[in-house]
Amino acid sequence: MKMPITQIHIADIHFGAIDPEDQYNILEEQFLKPISKIGFQILSIDGDLFDRKFMASSKAVYYANRFVYACANLCSMRGATFIMISGTESHESGQLSLYKDIGNLLPIDIEIIEKPTFIYKYGMTILCLPEEYGKSKQYYDNILKSRVYDMCFMHGTLAGGVYGCNKEDLDNRRPVFDIESFEYCRGPIISGHVHKPMCLKEYMYYVGTPIRYKFGEEEPKGYAILISN
């Protein structure tokens, strides 16, 4: 009998949008401590760890590092997989490269996703999609229709999640994905990018952001726990 797989998804943390120490303290109390009591198999940061590009000596990078290594330690203790997906270019700014040596420092299964990648974990094929720009429908079809897969973790625009983006447009500089884009996917699509948690067309989910860091974001904040078979 196949055992259920517990996944934890968090996205759009935006370290540096407010005081980074405050951000870390909130995440420690409201995310790290609660998930430390859960036996999970996958922890995924689905894009936008950072708010913008920072000096390596900045408080934002210091506290982002503390957070990432705390997540990595939790994964290492559980033998869980840690996934980090690159988000919006103006936010992430290539800074996930800071964490490429984690696997040399900790006994951990880590995937840092900066280009579309299929990974195989716990008997599941997972498509990981970072946010990319200026591609084409043919480019995405070659990925999305290349094989059957069980779920998709991504950062980007899902049709219906953003005003004016109501249908698939993969030729757009900022592509819009719809449920038909994932016809070869047998399970849910979990995405970062939109800060409001929501479910679109039954199978596409936005995680939302864990912290209310600006006016106009009055919707619930947090992270997602998914149990899959």
Side-chain angles (χ1 to χ4, degrees):
M1 182 177 178
K2 192 174 180 180
M3 297 297 292
I5 303 300
T6 299
Q7 307 168 31
I8 297 174
H9 291 266
I10 189 169
D12 298 284
I13 300 168
H14 289 277
F15 265 106
I18 61 174
D19 182 86
E21 184 175 3
D22 290 343
Q23 285 180 283
Y24 178 82
N25 290 336
I26 292 169
L27 290 166
E28 183 178 44
E29 289 298 318
Q30 299 184 13
F31 179 72
L32 293 172
K33 287 183 179 179
I35 70 168
S36 71
K37 301 173 184 177
I38 298 173
F40 59 86
Q41 285 74 45
I42 294 174
L43 170 55
S44 184
I45 299 177
D46 297 329
D48 285 0
L49 173 67
F50 291 97
D51 188 62
R52 56 190 183 277
K53 190 171 186 178
F54 293 98
M55 295 287 290
S57 58
S58 69
K59 282 181 67 177
V61 171
Y62 172 77
Y63 282 103
N65 288 350
R66 283 189 63 180
F67 176 73
V68 168
Y69 276 88
C71 290
N73 274 310
L74 288 175
C75 291
S76 179
M77 288 188 291
R78 285 161 177 73
T81 297
F82 186 24
I83 299 171
M84 301 179 71
I85 297 175
S86 183
T88 302
E89 184 179 6
S90 60
H91 295 308
E92 216 78 89
S93 297
Q95 293 171 109
L96 293 191
S97 61
L98 292 168
Y99 308 113
K100 289 187 175 179
D101 286 334
I102 289 181
N104 297 325
L105 302 173
L106 292 171
I108 185 175
D109 178 26
I110 183 168
E111 302 280 354
I112 296 178
I113 306 297
E114 296 179 301
K115 62 182 180 180
T117 306
F118 287 96
I119 61 176
Y120 187 76
K121 306 291 177 182
Y122 308 100
M124 303 182 299
T125 300
I126 303 169
L127 172 59
C128 297
L129 285 179
E131 187 167 354
E132 295 186 293
Y133 310 99
K135 303 297 184 181
S136 65
K137 178 174 173 55
Q138 186 63 55
Y139 171 83
Y140 286 109
D141 282 349
N142 288 343
I143 298 163
L144 296 166
K145 298 180 180 181
S146 64
R147 70 183 76 179
V148 174
Y149 49 101
D150 296 290
M151 58 188 63
C152 177
F153 302 167
M154 63 175 288
H155 190 93
T157 303
L158 301 174
V162 179
Y163 178 77
C165 298
N166 298 315
K167 61 181 181 180
E168 180 186 272
D169 185 0
L170 300 181
D171 285 319
N172 195 305
R173 182 180 180 276
R174 294 178 178 269
V176 180
F177 299 85
D178 205 347
I179 191 65
E180 291 80 11
S181 309
F182 302 100
E183 62 179 301
Y184 283 47
C185 184
R186 296 187 290 199
I189 296 95
I190 313 296
S191 187
H193 187 47
V194 173
H195 293 184
K196 180 180 179 179
M198 66 181 83
C199 175
L200 301 163
K201 300 185 178 179
E202 298 187 62
Y203 300 105
M204 303 189 299
Y205 296 87
Y206 273 121
V207 178
T209 182
I211 298 172
R212 183 175 294 110
Y213 64 84
K214 62 182 178 181
F215 291 114
E217 294 197 347
E218 302 308 316
E219 62 274 354
K221 300 298 177 185
Y223 52 95
I225 298 174
L226 173 67
I227 299 176
S228 57
N229 291 319

